[in-house]
Amino acid sequence: MIEDHPLRYALANELHARPFPMLASPCTVVYLAIKQPKDAATRERDKDQAHLAALLERYGAPLPRAGATHYSGQIGRHQLKWEQHTEFISYTACSDGVSSRPFDAKDFEIFPEDWLNAAPGKRVTSIMLRIETVSDVREIIPKLPEWFDSESVAAACIPPGTNIAVGDFRIDPAGHMRFAVGVEDALDSSEIARIVQNLCEIETYKAMSMLGFSRVQSLSPQIGVLDANLTELMGQMTADEGASDATLNKLLAISVELEAMAAKSAFRLAATRAYEALVNQRITALRETRFESFQTIGEFMVRRYQPAMRTVRSTERRIAVLSNRAMRASELLRTRVDVERSAQNQEVLRSMDRRADLQLQLQRTVEGLSVVAISYYAVSLAGNLLQPLVGASGFSAGGLTALITVPIVLVVWWLVRRIRLRIE
């Protein structure tokens, strides 16, 4: 039999490892997502599990296995689901029935206050969901003004059958988001779970993606300053020809700052794109249709959420464009500096050539003078040596000197030339 890859079963089972709790109407769901403010993706994940264990021990529930990334179990009258994600952890607690007071903050007391204060992170979002059985979804309309902000309420009919999901994406006085779900008697528990899971994930991924919007808002002033400085420096490239080196250094400083900004924000902006895609996917999975005259959840997101995401994308593009502009300007200015330095080098070489020519001319002049001087002393010395031969030879002293001058000069010239050739 063929041998299995060691990860085959683990990877196949991973697709089925995180089922959402089955829900029966009426019921109440409370949801909590916690994230470390910084470096959440590289956090110490053992702290997440230790925090979960502290909650389970309070209720005497079994602890998860070491290194687990998800957990499901019963704590008191609640069914708990815990999941560990790349940047955050989530707790979902489901209980049968609904409180007499809609969206009662006491429903969230399954998570004790001291336990929440000891969480290894900060709350990203918390949700309270009220699931009721209705014979007619219009029954829920009179309750909406009391439960939600009428200005931002979003409601939609969700198949199968005629079911309704309502929310306003506002934080209530207790600090939670609110969603109400009205379902038909015939809707099975898996469909209720699907609706609730989609609503929780829409809100969670929306909150996570809005962290990217916060990041680009903090970067916008710095980007504006860098844009203005870069534009000014590019103007100096044509107006100020005498400061190329200084301008190049400033351009390089801007490029470094832009690259550092892009590197520091790359993970958050990439995560924002991923979370935005998940929000859109979960809205599509709801298969919502319009309920009465209310805006749908998808329409709410298009009007309120998508502008923020477009701002994130435009800022990301702006950083990339600025970085490319700075790089191109640096390359152009570097080319200009190289050309100027090349011209300077050529001028230096021409100056050296002129100096070499002058030195050669001076050398030749000195060489000629040397021939004259040496010849003068050689002729004088030879004349003194040949003085006794003046009477015997029949030549006068002047004639003898004239006779030996030319040969001596030629010999001296030849010797000097030979010495110069050897040196060269």
Side-chain angles (χ1 to χ4, degrees):
M1 180 179 292
I2 188 170
E3 185 177 355
D4 287 327
H5 189 281
L7 297 177
R8 181 190 175 204
Y9 283 92
L11 296 177
N13 293 334
E14 181 66 23
L15 301 179
H16 312 284
R18 304 189 182 199
F20 200 81
M22 296 294 101
L23 303 174
S25 179
C27 64
T28 300
V29 177
V30 293
Y31 177 90
L32 173 66
I34 299 172
K35 174 188 177 297
Q36 284 189 2
K38 294 182 178 180
D39 302 322
T42 56
R43 67 189 184 278
E44 296 181 24
R45 296 175 183 265
D46 291 343
K47 293 182 179 180
D48 299 343
Q49 195 171 70
H51 193 235
L52 169 65
L55 178 65
L56 297 177
E57 288 173 351
R58 291 179 181 239
Y59 290 92
L63 300 181
R65 59 179 174 81
T69 58
H70 52 86
Y71 172 86
S72 294
Q74 196 74 23
I75 55 172
R77 64 184 184 88
H78 294 83
Q79 187 178 2
L80 178 70
K81 179 177 176 59
W82 172 84
E83 289 186 288
Q84 190 179 62
H85 302 267
T86 302
E87 289 195 272
F88 65 93
I89 51 177
S90 64
Y91 292 83
T92 307
C94 312
S95 61
D96 294 333
V98 293
S99 58
S100 57
R101 179 185 176 187
F103 302 104
D104 192 341
K106 291 183 178 180
D107 291 335
F108 209 78
E109 291 179 356
I110 182 179
F111 303 123
E113 185 174 354
D114 61 331
W115 177 85
L116 289 172
N117 292 335
K122 304 297 182 181
R123 174 170 57 177
V124 175
T125 188
S126 58
I127 309 171
M128 299 187 69
L129 297 102
R130 183 182 179 90
I131 296 93
E132 296 183 357
T133 302
V134 294
S135 57
D136 186 346
V137 292
R138 293 180 180 83
E139 296 175 9
I140 204 170
I141 294 178
K143 304 175 184 179
L144 297 184
E146 179 184 354
W147 293 355
F148 302 106
D149 184 288
S150 58
E151 189 271 333
S152 58
V153 66
C157 291
I158 300 175
T162 304
N163 310 288
I164 184 173
V166 188
D168 60 2
F169 296 95
R170 290 185 180 272
I171 300 174
D172 69 8
H176 312 300
M177 292 285 181
R178 293 180 175 183
F179 286 101
V181 179
V183 299
E184 297 177 327
D185 292 327
L187 193 65
D188 62 40
S189 58
S190 62
E191 290 295 341
I192 298 175
R194 179 185 69 83
I195 295 171
V196 171
Q197 182 178 16
N198 281 330
L199 292 174
C200 290
E201 291 182 350
I202 287 171
E203 167 54 28
T204 303
Y205 294 136
K206 175 187 70 68
M208 291 296 296
S209 59
M210 289 300 289
L211 294 176
F213 177 69
S214 175
R215 175 67 62 85
V216 300
Q217 280 187 316
S218 65
L219 291 177
S220 292
Q222 184 180 1
I223 294 173
V225 171
L226 291 175
D227 192 359
N229 291 342
L230 180 58
T231 302
E232 181 181 356
L233 287 175
M234 292 180 71
Q236 292 178 4
M237 288 173 58
T238 56
D240 189 2
E241 298 183 357
S244 296
D245 288 336
T247 304
L248 179 59
N249 290 334
K250 293 178 181 178
L251 277 173
L252 292 177
I254 291 177
S255 296
V256 170
E257 192 169 354
L258 284 168
E259 288 300 321
M261 181 189 299
K264 290 179 181 178
S265 59
F267 177 82
R268 175 51 47 209
L269 297 183
T272 297
R273 292 195 302 272
Y275 291 132
E276 180 193 1
L278 289 172
V279 169
N280 295 331
Q281 289 173 4
R282 297 305 185 266
I283 291 175
T284 301
L286 283 177
R287 296 175 292 170
E288 61 177 347
T289 57
R290 184 176 299 280
F291 173 67
E292 298 291 328
S293 60
F294 295 98
Q295 63 181 338
T296 64
I297 295 174
E299 289 173 341
F300 174 88
M301 291 298 178
V302 168
R303 294 177 181 176
R304 307 290 183 91
Y305 170 72
Q306 286 301 327
M309 294 300 99
R310 285 195 292 271
T311 300
V312 173
R313 290 193 294 272
S314 65
T315 302
E316 186 175 15
R317 287 193 299 269
R318 188 181 180 190
I319 293 174
V321 169
L322 279 177
S323 181
N324 290 333
R325 282 178 58 197
M327 186 180 301
R328 289 195 301 269
S330 298
E331 291 174 353
L332 290 172
L333 189 56
R334 190 180 293 110
T335 302
R336 173 177 162 181
V337 170
D338 290 343
V339 170
E340 290 178 353
R341 288 176 179 172
S342 177
Q344 292 174 356
N345 292 337
Q346 290 177 358
E347 182 60 31
V348 170
L349 291 175
R350 283 194 293 268
S351 177
M352 292 175 64
D353 288 342
R354 288 193 297 270
R355 285 197 297 270
D357 290 339
L358 291 174
Q359 289 176 353
L360 180 59
Q361 293 175 9
L362 180 60
Q363 179 183 347
R364 289 176 179 175
T365 301
V366 171
E367 183 180 316
L369 294 175
S370 299
V371 171
V372 172
I374 295 172
S375 299
Y376 174 78
Y377 287 110
V379 169
S380 297
L381 181 61
N384 291 333
L385 292 175
L386 296 176
Q387 188 67 33
L389 300 177
V390 171
S393 63
F395 289 97
S396 63
L400 186 60
T401 300
L403 182 64
I404 64 175
T405 297
V406 173
I408 289 175
V409 171
L410 291 174
V411 170
V412 171
W413 173 83
W414 179 79
L415 290 173
V416 171
R417 185 172 181 275
R418 186 176 181 183
I419 292 171
R420 179 171 62 79
L421 292 174
R422 285 185 178 179
I423 293 175
E424 292 177 354

